[in-house]
Amino acid sequence: MLNWVKPFNIFCLLDNQQYHFDTPAFESLLAVGATANIHVNAGNAFAQLKDFYNEHPGWLFGHLGYDLKNEIEKLSSANFDGIGFSDLHFFVPKIVLQLNENQLTIFCEDDAAALFEEIQSCSADISAPIANSPVIKNRISREEYLATIKKIQQQILRGDCYELNFCQEFYAENATIDPVSIYHQLTDLSPNPFSALYQFNDKYCLCASPERYLKKTGDLLISQPIKGTAKRDLSDKRLDEQRKTNLLNSNKERSENVMVVDLVRNDLSKVCLEGTVKVEELFGIYSFPQVHQMISTVSGRLQNNTHWVDIIKATFPMGSMTGAPKKRVMELIEQYEQTKRGLFSGSIGYINPDGDFDFNVVIRSILYNRSTQYISFQTGGAITFYSDAEQEYEESLLKAEAIKKVLQ
């Protein structure tokens, strides 16, 4: 499927990497080509998206950029952006391929059997073209990072906020990569349940995300914020289990997680029936190839006749990537970070013909602009008053490890 899709200039692959957190679940969903699309920046993007969807009910795929915050709240973004994704892009696909364990379903206007033969005729191997390894640089130095954490903690001490998600950028210039090959290597090294490979013209997102932002099934909403990370030790099973236990029992990680859970509960209560928002699971520990993560699950029942665009507007950006209180920390994020987040800490997902949707959180992701040959990836974590600046820096490097390994 990935070799077949290469000639198209718009496509979106969503891949759960056989985690099967939901039943029934698709193994992967691939949307190809566009019969119509919308790409706009913050201003009246949500109103335009609503009009677009009302004209084109059915499958929609696309992204929500972090800087839609500027429309939701009176905020702005002036930091450097080396990639250039629009704040919002959705497209009506020409073809949708839904792959389950034993079945491929093709949604299209064309001859599905001929399409299947076309895909089958493509190579089943993804070759890695010979290329020079990009030279990866840090946007801020270790000293700057540590000093910034101290400043954020002073803001917390003054009562400006409780928790702030601070991120740093790693980047490479004059870089030429094959996105399909790099994505394949990234998800082979770090398979995660909300992975995505997304292309819009000359811009790509290669995403190995473990986190769901929001899912709608009928009138049920589910959000699964992640806060809490521990490095795995696959060479020593006993030590690996101990790290899981330490993560579960860490007061610091629990306090970070519960703050975000409260924020998500508050966001869902804006669009859900009174009394239906509840925490399904608190401090769940889930293991991935590189790290153990602390994940909580919050659900709610939707108010009648709530448009899906209004659900997104009420809950975006996701609390796990901002902190609390949300508006104030987004102001401080703009002040302390040196790179515009763009699609990073935004979301990629789909709306199906029933009006249900599922969106991820764009983290553990490589963003690439083929025209400018610029690569960007960001990592970060939740900063509280009790955070250790050195440990936070090391955690941000840990989250970047798989991406650096693939690129170099």
Side-chain angles (χ1 to χ4, degrees):
M1 282 163 62
L2 287 178
N3 280 323
W4 169 76
V5 85
K6 281 185 178 182
F8 293 88
N9 67 345
I10 294 180
F11 69 83
C12 180
L13 171 76
L14 304 171
D15 195 347
N16 74 25
Q17 299 290 327
Q18 298 182 316
Y19 275 86
H20 301 305
F21 283 162
D22 306 307
T23 30
F26 59 80
E27 182 55 40
S28 59
L29 200 57
L30 176 61
V32 184
T35 60
N37 68 351
I38 174 174
H39 54 103
V40 293
N41 288 325
N44 66 337
F46 286 107
Q48 291 184 66
L49 177 59
K50 194 181 284 190
D51 289 343
F52 181 79
Y53 178 74
N54 292 340
E55 288 174 25
H56 304 281
W59 287 107
L60 272 193
F61 288 75
H63 80 259
L64 305 155
Y66 172 78
D67 292 292
L68 285 169
K69 67 180 175 59
N70 300 337
E71 177 176 333
I72 296 165
E73 302 282 359
K74 289 185 178 177
L75 299 169
S76 61
S77 302
N79 288 330
F80 170 74
D81 178 8
I83 299 295
F85 269 110
S86 58
D87 292 337
L88 182 150
H89 170 244
F90 282 89
F91 67 98
V92 179
K94 289 181 180 175
I95 303 161
V96 176
L97 305 171
Q98 182 174 303
L99 184 64
N100 294 334
E101 207 164 314
N102 302 306
Q103 181 176 313
L104 174 69
T105 306
I106 301 176
F107 303 85
C108 68
E109 300 276 322
D110 303 321
D111 182 343
L115 267 175
F116 179 70
E117 290 303 319
E118 202 177 298
I119 296 166
Q120 286 286 87
S121 69
C122 293
S123 171
D125 296 313
I126 293 178
S127 57
I130 297 169
N132 294 327
S133 295
V135 177
I136 297 168
K137 304 172 188 175
N138 294 38
R139 178 64 60 189
I140 60 175
S141 68
R142 179 177 177 277
E143 291 71 26
E144 284 180 288
Y145 185 97
L146 298 179
T148 302
I149 300 303
K150 295 287 195 293
K151 290 176 185 174
I152 291 168
Q153 288 175 320
Q154 287 304 307
Q155 301 267 185
I156 295 170
L157 186 61
R158 287 202 297 268
D160 281 350
C161 60
Y162 313 108
E163 172 182 314
L164 184 148
N165 188 281
F166 177 68
C167 300
Q168 63 169 321
E169 184 195 23
F170 303 85
Y171 68 99
E173 298 166 300
N174 304 313
T176 303
I177 61 170
D178 178 65
V180 169
S181 170
I182 295 292
Y183 170 78
H184 184 63
Q185 292 174 59
L186 180 63
T187 52
D188 191 48
L189 183 66
S190 187
N192 281 310
F194 298 99
S195 298
L197 176 60
Y198 176 58
Q199 179 186 357
F200 177 44
N201 297 332
D202 61 347
K203 299 170 188 68
Y204 297 82
C205 178
L206 292 59
C207 177
S209 175
E211 185 171 0
R212 166 178 280 140
Y213 154 46
L214 196 61
K215 179 180 183 181
K216 174 185 176 291
T217 308
D219 70 343
L220 178 65
L221 282 185
I222 291 178
S223 183
Q224 294 180 296
I226 293 179
K227 269 290 162 274
T229 304
K231 185 175 183 177
R232 297 205 62 180
D233 190 329
L234 298 177
S235 63
D236 186 331
K237 190 174 180 182
R238 184 190 60 79
L239 181 58
D240 194 50
E241 284 298 316
Q242 186 60 52
R243 287 181 175 174
K244 267 175 78 171
T245 303
N246 291 348
L247 176 60
L248 177 62
N249 295 328
S250 166
N251 289 332
K252 171 188 172 291
E253 304 287 15
R254 281 171 172 256
S255 68
E256 288 179 12
N257 193 287
V258 82
M259 275 190 240
V260 173
V261 165
D262 281 344
L263 197 156
V264 171
R265 286 170 61 211
N266 183 62
D267 283 348
L268 291 191
S269 69
K270 298 173 189 173
V271 291
C272 289
L273 293 167
E274 190 175 339
T276 66
V277 175
K278 58 184 178 179
V279 180
E280 302 277 357
E281 182 181 31
L282 189 63
F283 310 143
I285 304 298
Y286 292 81
S287 299
F288 300 97
Q290 312 288 326
V291 292
H292 302 296
Q293 302 271 200
M294 184 180 284
I295 306 177
S296 293
T297 300
V298 186
S299 71
R301 293 285 173 181
L302 270 173
Q303 297 168 10
N304 293 336
N305 303 316
T306 306
H307 199 288
W308 72 267
V309 174
D310 294 325
I311 301 168
I312 300 295
K313 190 174 181 179
T315 57
F316 191 82
M318 59 292 300
S320 62
M321 295 306 295
T322 59
K326 192 186 272 190
K327 183 181 179 183
R328 182 59 181 137
V329 293
M330 289 193 292
E331 292 171 344
L332 294 171
I333 285 167
E334 179 68 19
Q335 178 181 329
Y336 287 115
E337 292 183 359
Q338 295 189 17
T339 306
K340 186 176 177 180
R341 289 192 179 182
L343 183 48
F344 170 73
S345 78
S347 184
I348 294 171
Y350 72 92
I351 301 90
N352 71 15
D354 295 325
D356 292 333
F357 62 70
D358 203 357
F359 286 95
N360 74 359
V361 178
V362 178
I363 50 175
R364 321 287 162 85
S365 300
I366 300 167
L367 301 177
Y368 176 54
N369 185 313
R370 189 181 61 223
S371 297
T372 61
Q373 298 184 313
Y374 188 88
I375 289 173
S376 172
F377 59 98
Q378 298 189 47
T379 65
I383 309 304
T384 67
F385 181 72
Y386 298 102
S387 294
D388 180 288
E390 295 271 2
Q391 288 179 6
E392 293 295 339
Y393 184 72
E394 291 305 316
E395 184 179 310
S396 74
L397 296 184
L398 168 64
K399 290 171 178 173
E401 264 183 21
I403 290 175
K404 282 186 172 180
K405 188 172 182 180
V406 166
L407 287 173
Q408 298 184 325

CSV table of all heavy atoms in Angstrom, one decimal, residues 15-17 19 21 187 190-196 207-213 224-229 286-296 320-321 344 359-365 399:
chain,number,residue,atom,x,y,z
A,15,ASP,N,-2.3,4.1,11.4
A,15,ASP,CA,-1.9,2.7,11.6
A,15,ASP,C,-1.9,2.4,13.1
A,15,ASP,O,-1.1,3.1,13.8
A,15,ASP,CB,-0.6,2.5,10.9
A,15,ASP,CG,-0.2,1.0,10.8
A,15,ASP,OD1,-0.9,0.2,11.4
A,15,ASP,OD2,0.7,0.7,10.0
A,16,ASN,N,-2.6,1.4,13.5
A,16,ASN,CA,-2.6,1.1,15.0
A,16,ASN,C,-1.5,0.1,15.4
A,16,ASN,O,-1.4,-0.3,16.6
A,16,ASN,CB,-4.0,0.7,15.5
A,16,ASN,CG,-4.4,-0.7,15.1
A,16,ASN,OD1,-3.5,-1.6,14.8
A,16,ASN,ND2,-5.7,-1.0,15.0
A,17,GLN,N,-0.7,-0.3,14.4
A,17,GLN,CA,0.5,-1.2,14.7
A,17,GLN,C,0.1,-2.4,15.5
A,17,GLN,O,0.9,-2.9,16.4
A,17,GLN,CB,1.5,-0.4,15.4
A,17,GLN,CG,2.1,0.8,14.6
A,17,GLN,CD,2.9,0.4,13.5
A,17,GLN,OE1,3.6,-0.6,13.5
A,17,GLN,NE2,2.9,1.2,12.4
A,19,TYR,N,-2.0,-2.9,18.0
A,19,TYR,CA,-2.2,-2.8,19.4
A,19,TYR,C,-3.6,-3.2,19.8
A,19,TYR,O,-3.8,-3.7,20.9
A,19,TYR,CB,-1.9,-1.4,19.9
A,19,TYR,CG,-0.4,-1.2,20.2
A,19,TYR,CD1,0.4,-0.8,19.2
A,19,TYR,CD2,0.1,-1.3,21.5
A,19,TYR,CE1,1.8,-0.6,19.4
A,19,TYR,CE2,1.4,-1.1,21.7
A,19,TYR,CZ,2.3,-0.7,20.7
A,19,TYR,OH,3.6,-0.5,21.0
A,21,PHE,N,-6.3,-1.6,20.8
A,21,PHE,CA,-6.9,-1.0,22.0
A,21,PHE,C,-8.4,-1.0,22.0
A,21,PHE,O,-9.1,-1.0,23.0
A,21,PHE,CB,-6.4,0.4,22.3
A,21,PHE,CG,-5.0,0.4,22.8
A,21,PHE,CD1,-4.2,1.6,22.7
A,21,PHE,CD2,-4.4,-0.6,23.4
A,21,PHE,CE1,-3.0,1.7,23.2
A,21,PHE,CE2,-3.1,-0.6,23.9
A,21,PHE,CZ,-2.4,0.6,23.8
A,187,THR,N,8.5,3.3,12.6
A,187,THR,CA,7.5,2.5,13.2
A,187,THR,C,8.0,1.0,13.4
A,187,THR,O,7.4,0.3,14.3
A,187,THR,CB,6.2,2.5,12.4
A,187,THR,OG1,6.5,2.1,11.0
A,187,THR,CG2,5.5,3.8,12.4
A,190,SER,N,9.9,1.8,16.7
A,190,SER,CA,9.0,2.3,17.7
A,190,SER,C,7.6,2.2,17.3
A,190,SER,O,6.9,3.2,17.1
A,190,SER,CB,9.4,3.8,18.1
A,190,SER,OG,8.7,4.2,19.2
A,191,PRO,N,7.0,1.0,17.2
A,191,PRO,CA,5.6,0.9,16.8
A,191,PRO,C,4.7,1.4,17.9
A,191,PRO,O,4.8,1.0,19.0
A,191,PRO,CB,5.4,-0.6,16.6
A,191,PRO,CG,6.5,-1.3,17.4
A,191,PRO,CD,7.6,-0.3,17.5
A,192,ASN,N,3.8,2.3,17.5
A,192,ASN,CA,2.9,2.8,18.5
A,192,ASN,C,1.4,2.9,17.9
A,192,ASN,O,1.3,3.0,16.7
A,192,ASN,CB,3.3,4.3,18.9
A,192,ASN,CG,4.5,4.2,19.9
A,192,ASN,OD1,4.4,3.5,20.9
A,192,ASN,ND2,5.5,4.9,19.6
A,193,PRO,N,0.4,2.9,18.8
A,193,PRO,CA,-1.0,2.7,18.3
A,193,PRO,C,-1.6,3.8,17.6
A,193,PRO,O,-2.7,3.6,17.0
A,193,PRO,CB,-1.7,2.4,19.6
A,193,PRO,CG,-0.9,3.0,20.7
A,193,PRO,CD,0.5,2.9,20.3
A,194,PHE,N,-1.0,5.0,17.6
A,194,PHE,CA,-1.6,6.1,16.8
A,194,PHE,C,-0.6,6.7,15.8
A,194,PHE,O,-0.5,7.9,15.7
A,194,PHE,CB,-2.1,7.2,17.8
A,194,PHE,CG,-3.2,6.6,18.7
A,194,PHE,CD1,-2.9,6.2,20.0
A,194,PHE,CD2,-4.5,6.5,18.2
A,194,PHE,CE1,-3.9,5.7,20.8
A,194,PHE,CE2,-5.5,5.9,19.0
A,194,PHE,CZ,-5.2,5.5,20.3
A,195,SER,N,0.0,5.8,15.1
A,195,SER,CA,1.0,6.2,14.1
A,195,SER,C,0.3,6.7,12.9
A,195,SER,O,-0.9,6.4,12.6
A,195,SER,CB,1.8,4.9,13.7
A,195,SER,OG,2.6,4.4,14.8
A,196,ALA,N,1.0,7.6,12.1
A,196,ALA,CA,0.4,8.2,10.9
A,196,ALA,C,1.5,8.6,10.0
A,196,ALA,O,2.6,9.0,10.4
A,196,ALA,CB,-0.4,9.4,11.3
A,207,CYS,N,4.7,10.0,11.9
A,207,CYS,CA,4.3,10.1,13.3
A,207,CYS,C,4.3,8.7,13.9
A,207,CYS,O,3.7,7.8,13.3
A,207,CYS,CB,2.9,10.7,13.3
A,207,CYS,SG,2.1,10.8,14.9
A,208,ALA,N,4.9,8.5,15.1
A,208,ALA,CA,4.9,7.3,15.8
A,208,ALA,C,4.3,7.6,17.2
A,208,ALA,O,5.0,7.4,18.2
A,208,ALA,CB,6.3,6.7,15.9
A,209,SER,N,3.1,8.1,17.2
A,209,SER,CA,2.5,8.6,18.5
A,209,SER,C,1.8,7.4,19.3
A,209,SER,O,1.1,6.6,18.7
A,209,SER,CB,1.4,9.6,18.2
A,209,SER,OG,0.7,10.0,19.4
A,210,PRO,N,2.0,7.5,20.6
A,210,PRO,CA,1.3,6.5,21.5
A,210,PRO,C,0.0,7.1,22.0
A,210,PRO,O,-0.7,6.4,22.8
A,210,PRO,CB,2.3,6.3,22.6
A,210,PRO,CG,3.0,7.6,22.8
A,210,PRO,CD,3.0,8.2,21.4
A,211,GLU,N,-0.4,8.3,21.6
A,211,GLU,CA,-1.4,9.0,22.4
A,211,GLU,C,-2.6,9.4,21.5
A,211,GLU,O,-2.5,9.9,20.4
A,211,GLU,CB,-0.9,10.3,23.0
A,211,GLU,CG,-1.9,11.0,23.9
A,211,GLU,CD,-1.3,12.2,24.7
A,211,GLU,OE1,-0.1,12.4,24.6
A,211,GLU,OE2,-2.1,12.8,25.5
A,212,ARG,N,-3.8,9.1,22.1
A,212,ARG,CA,-5.1,9.5,21.5
A,212,ARG,C,-5.5,10.8,22.1
A,212,ARG,O,-5.5,11.0,23.3
A,212,ARG,CB,-6.2,8.5,21.7
A,212,ARG,CG,-7.6,9.0,21.5
A,212,ARG,CD,-8.6,7.9,21.7
A,212,ARG,NE,-8.7,7.0,20.6
A,212,ARG,CZ,-8.9,5.7,20.7
A,212,ARG,NH1,-9.0,5.1,21.8
A,212,ARG,NH2,-8.9,4.9,19.6
A,213,TYR,N,-5.9,11.8,21.2
A,213,TYR,CA,-6.5,13.0,21.7
A,213,TYR,C,-8.0,12.8,22.0
A,213,TYR,O,-8.4,13.0,23.1
A,213,TYR,CB,-6.3,14.1,20.6
A,213,TYR,CG,-7.2,15.2,20.5
A,213,TYR,CD1,-7.6,15.9,21.7
A,213,TYR,CD2,-7.8,15.7,19.3
A,213,TYR,CE1,-8.6,17.0,21.7
A,213,TYR,CE2,-8.7,16.7,19.3
A,213,TYR,CZ,-9.1,17.4,20.4
A,213,TYR,OH,-10.0,18.4,20.4
A,224,GLN,N,-7.7,10.1,26.0
A,224,GLN,CA,-6.7,9.3,26.8
A,224,GLN,C,-5.4,10.0,26.9
A,224,GLN,O,-4.4,9.7,26.2
A,224,GLN,CB,-6.5,8.0,26.0
A,224,GLN,CG,-7.8,7.1,26.1
A,224,GLN,CD,-7.6,5.8,25.4
A,224,GLN,OE1,-7.4,5.7,24.2
A,224,GLN,NE2,-7.8,4.7,26.2
A,225,PRO,N,-5.3,11.0,27.8
A,225,PRO,CA,-4.1,11.8,28.0
A,225,PRO,C,-2.9,11.0,28.6
A,225,PRO,O,-3.2,10.1,29.5
A,225,PRO,CB,-4.5,12.9,28.9
A,225,PRO,CG,-5.7,12.4,29.7
A,225,PRO,CD,-6.4,11.5,28.7
A,226,ILE,N,-1.7,11.3,28.1
A,226,ILE,CA,-0.5,10.6,28.6
A,226,ILE,C,0.3,11.7,29.4
A,226,ILE,O,0.5,12.8,28.9
A,226,ILE,CB,0.4,10.1,27.5
A,226,ILE,CG1,-0.3,8.9,26.8
A,226,ILE,CG2,1.7,9.7,28.0
A,226,ILE,CD1,0.5,8.3,25.6
A,227,LYS,N,0.6,11.3,30.6
A,227,LYS,CA,1.5,12.1,31.4
A,227,LYS,C,2.2,11.1,32.4
A,227,LYS,O,1.6,10.5,33.2
A,227,LYS,CB,0.8,13.2,32.3
A,227,LYS,CG,0.7,14.5,31.6
A,227,LYS,CD,2.1,15.2,31.4
A,227,LYS,CE,2.1,16.3,30.4
A,227,LYS,NZ,2.3,15.8,29.0
A,228,GLY,N,3.5,11.0,32.2
A,228,GLY,CA,4.3,10.1,33.0
A,228,GLY,C,5.1,9.1,32.1
A,228,GLY,O,4.5,8.4,31.3
A,229,THR,N,6.4,9.2,32.2
A,229,THR,CA,7.3,8.4,31.3
A,229,THR,C,8.4,7.8,32.1
A,229,THR,O,9.0,8.4,32.9
A,229,THR,CB,7.9,9.3,30.2
A,229,THR,OG1,6.8,10.0,29.5
A,229,THR,CG2,8.7,8.5,29.2
A,286,TYR,N,1.1,1.6,30.6
A,286,TYR,CA,1.2,0.9,29.3
A,286,TYR,C,2.6,0.8,28.8
A,286,TYR,O,3.3,1.8,29.0
A,286,TYR,CB,0.3,1.5,28.3
A,286,TYR,CG,-1.2,1.4,28.6
A,286,TYR,CD1,-1.8,2.2,29.6
A,286,TYR,CD2,-2.0,0.4,28.0
A,286,TYR,CE1,-3.2,2.1,29.9
A,286,TYR,CE2,-3.3,0.3,28.3
A,286,TYR,CZ,-3.9,1.1,29.3
A,286,TYR,OH,-5.2,1.0,29.6
A,287,SER,N,3.0,-0.3,28.3
A,287,SER,CA,4.4,-0.5,27.9
A,287,SER,C,4.5,-0.4,26.4
A,287,SER,O,3.8,-1.1,25.6
A,287,SER,CB,5.0,-1.8,28.4
A,287,SER,OG,4.9,-1.8,29.8
A,288,PHE,N,5.5,0.4,25.9
A,288,PHE,CA,5.8,0.5,24.5
A,288,PHE,C,7.3,0.2,24.3
A,288,PHE,O,8.0,0.0,25.3
A,288,PHE,CB,5.5,2.0,24.0
A,288,PHE,CG,4.1,2.4,24.2
A,288,PHE,CD1,3.6,3.1,25.3
A,288,PHE,CD2,3.1,2.0,23.3
A,288,PHE,CE1,2.3,3.4,25.5
A,288,PHE,CE2,1.8,2.3,23.5
A,288,PHE,CZ,1.4,3.0,24.6
A,289,PRO,N,7.7,0.0,23.1
A,289,PRO,CA,9.1,-0.5,22.9
A,289,PRO,C,10.2,0.4,23.5
A,289,PRO,O,11.2,-0.2,24.0
A,289,PRO,CB,9.3,-0.5,21.3
A,289,PRO,CG,7.9,-0.6,20.8
A,289,PRO,CD,7.0,0.1,21.8
A,290,GLN,N,10.0,1.7,23.6
A,290,GLN,CA,11.1,2.5,24.2
A,290,GLN,C,10.8,2.9,25.6
A,290,GLN,O,11.8,3.1,26.4
A,290,GLN,CB,11.2,3.9,23.4
A,290,GLN,CG,11.2,3.7,21.8
A,290,GLN,CD,12.6,3.1,21.4
A,290,GLN,OE1,13.6,3.4,21.9
A,290,GLN,NE2,12.5,2.3,20.3
A,291,VAL,N,9.5,3.1,26.0
A,291,VAL,CA,9.2,3.6,27.3
A,291,VAL,C,7.9,3.0,27.9
A,291,VAL,O,7.1,2.4,27.1
A,291,VAL,CB,8.9,5.2,27.2
A,291,VAL,CG1,10.2,5.9,26.9
A,291,VAL,CG2,7.8,5.5,26.1
A,292,HIS,N,7.8,3.1,29.2
A,292,HIS,CA,6.5,2.9,29.9
A,292,HIS,C,5.8,4.2,30.0
A,292,HIS,O,6.5,5.2,30.2
A,292,HIS,CB,6.7,2.3,31.3
A,292,HIS,CG,7.5,1.0,31.3
A,292,HIS,ND1,7.0,-0.2,30.7
A,292,HIS,CD2,8.7,0.7,31.9
A,292,HIS,CE1,7.9,-1.1,31.0
A,292,HIS,NE2,8.9,-0.6,31.6
A,293,GLN,N,4.5,4.2,29.8
A,293,GLN,CA,3.7,5.5,29.9
A,293,GLN,C,2.6,5.4,30.9
A,293,GLN,O,2.0,4.3,31.0
A,293,GLN,CB,3.1,5.9,28.5
A,293,GLN,CG,4.1,6.0,27.4
A,293,GLN,CD,4.7,7.4,27.3
A,293,GLN,OE1,5.2,7.7,26.2
A,293,GLN,NE2,4.7,8.2,28.3
A,294,MET,N,2.3,6.5,31.6
A,294,MET,CA,1.1,6.5,32.4
A,294,MET,C,0.0,7.2,31.6
A,294,MET,O,0.1,8.3,31.2
A,294,MET,CB,1.4,7.3,33.7
A,294,MET,CG,0.3,7.4,34.7
A,294,MET,SD,0.7,8.3,36.2
A,294,MET,CE,1.8,7.2,37.0
A,295,ILE,N,-1.1,6.4,31.4
A,295,ILE,CA,-2.2,6.9,30.6
A,295,ILE,C,-3.5,6.8,31.4
A,295,ILE,O,-3.8,5.8,32.0
A,295,ILE,CB,-2.4,6.0,29.3
A,295,ILE,CG1,-1.0,6.0,28.5
A,295,ILE,CG2,-3.5,6.5,28.4
A,295,ILE,CD1,-1.0,5.1,27.3
A,296,SER,N,-4.3,7.8,31.3
A,296,SER,CA,-5.6,7.8,31.9
A,296,SER,C,-6.7,7.9,30.8
A,296,SER,O,-6.4,8.5,29.8
A,296,SER,CB,-5.8,9.0,32.9
A,296,SER,OG,-4.9,8.8,34.1
A,320,SER,N,-2.8,17.5,27.6
A,320,SER,CA,-1.5,16.9,27.8
A,320,SER,C,-0.4,17.7,27.2
A,320,SER,O,0.8,17.5,27.6
A,320,SER,CB,-1.5,15.5,27.3
A,320,SER,OG,-1.7,15.4,25.9
A,321,MET,N,-0.7,18.5,26.2
A,321,MET,CA,0.4,19.2,25.5
A,321,MET,C,0.4,20.7,25.9
A,321,MET,O,1.2,21.5,25.3
A,321,MET,CB,0.2,19.1,24.0
A,321,MET,CG,0.5,17.7,23.5
A,321,MET,SD,2.0,16.9,24.0
A,321,MET,CE,3.2,18.0,23.2
A,344,PHE,N,3.1,19.9,15.2
A,344,PHE,CA,3.5,19.2,16.4
A,344,PHE,C,2.6,19.6,17.5
A,344,PHE,O,2.3,20.8,17.8
A,344,PHE,CB,5.0,19.6,16.7
A,344,PHE,CG,5.4,19.1,18.1
A,344,PHE,CD1,5.6,17.7,18.3
A,344,PHE,CD2,5.5,19.9,19.2
A,344,PHE,CE1,6.0,17.2,19.6
A,344,PHE,CE2,5.9,19.5,20.4
A,344,PHE,CZ,6.1,18.1,20.6
A,359,PHE,N,-8.9,11.0,16.6
A,359,PHE,CA,-7.7,11.9,16.4
A,359,PHE,C,-6.6,11.5,17.3
A,359,PHE,O,-6.8,11.3,18.5
A,359,PHE,CB,-8.1,13.4,16.6
A,359,PHE,CG,-8.9,13.9,15.4
A,359,PHE,CD1,-10.3,13.9,15.5
A,359,PHE,CD2,-8.3,14.4,14.3
A,359,PHE,CE1,-11.1,14.5,14.5
A,359,PHE,CE2,-9.1,14.9,13.3
A,359,PHE,CZ,-10.5,15.0,13.3
A,360,ASN,N,-5.4,11.6,16.8
A,360,ASN,CA,-4.2,11.3,17.7
A,360,ASN,C,-3.6,12.6,18.2
A,360,ASN,O,-4.2,13.7,18.0
A,360,ASN,CB,-3.2,10.5,16.9
A,360,ASN,CG,-2.4,11.3,15.9
A,360,ASN,OD1,-2.7,12.5,15.7
A,360,ASN,ND2,-1.5,10.7,15.2
A,361,VAL,N,-2.6,12.5,19.0
A,361,VAL,CA,-1.7,13.6,19.4
A,361,VAL,C,-0.4,13.5,18.6
A,361,VAL,O,0.2,12.5,18.7
A,361,VAL,CB,-1.5,13.6,20.9
A,361,VAL,CG1,-0.6,14.8,21.3
A,361,VAL,CG2,-2.8,13.7,21.7
A,362,VAL,N,-0.1,14.6,17.9
A,362,VAL,CA,1.1,14.5,17.0
A,362,VAL,C,2.4,14.8,17.9
A,362,VAL,O,2.8,15.9,18.2
A,362,VAL,CB,1.1,15.5,15.9
A,362,VAL,CG1,2.4,15.5,15.1
A,362,VAL,CG2,-0.1,15.2,15.0
A,363,ILE,N,2.9,13.6,18.5
A,363,ILE,CA,4.2,13.7,19.2
A,363,ILE,C,5.0,12.5,18.6
A,363,ILE,O,4.5,11.8,17.8
A,363,ILE,CB,4.0,13.5,20.7
A,363,ILE,CG1,3.1,12.2,21.0
A,363,ILE,CG2,3.4,14.7,21.3
A,363,ILE,CD1,2.9,11.9,22.5
A,364,ARG,N,6.3,12.4,19.0
A,364,ARG,CA,7.2,11.4,18.5
A,364,ARG,C,7.2,11.4,17.0
A,364,ARG,O,7.0,10.4,16.4
A,364,ARG,CB,6.9,10.0,19.1
A,364,ARG,CG,6.5,10.0,20.5
A,364,ARG,CD,7.6,10.2,21.5
A,364,ARG,NE,7.1,10.5,22.8
A,364,ARG,CZ,6.7,9.7,23.7
A,364,ARG,NH1,6.7,8.4,23.5
A,364,ARG,NH2,6.2,10.1,24.9
A,365,SER,N,7.3,12.6,16.4
A,365,SER,CA,7.0,12.8,15.0
A,365,SER,C,8.1,13.6,14.3
A,365,SER,O,8.6,14.5,14.8
A,365,SER,CB,5.6,13.5,14.8
A,365,SER,OG,4.6,12.7,15.3
A,399,LYS,N,12.9,10.9,24.6
A,399,LYS,CA,11.8,10.8,23.7
A,399,LYS,C,12.3,11.1,22.2
A,399,LYS,O,11.6,10.7,21.3
A,399,LYS,CB,10.8,11.9,24.1
A,399,LYS,CG,10.0,11.5,25.3
A,399,LYS,CD,9.2,12.7,25.8
A,399,LYS,CE,8.4,12.3,27.1
A,399,LYS,NZ,7.7,13.4,27.7
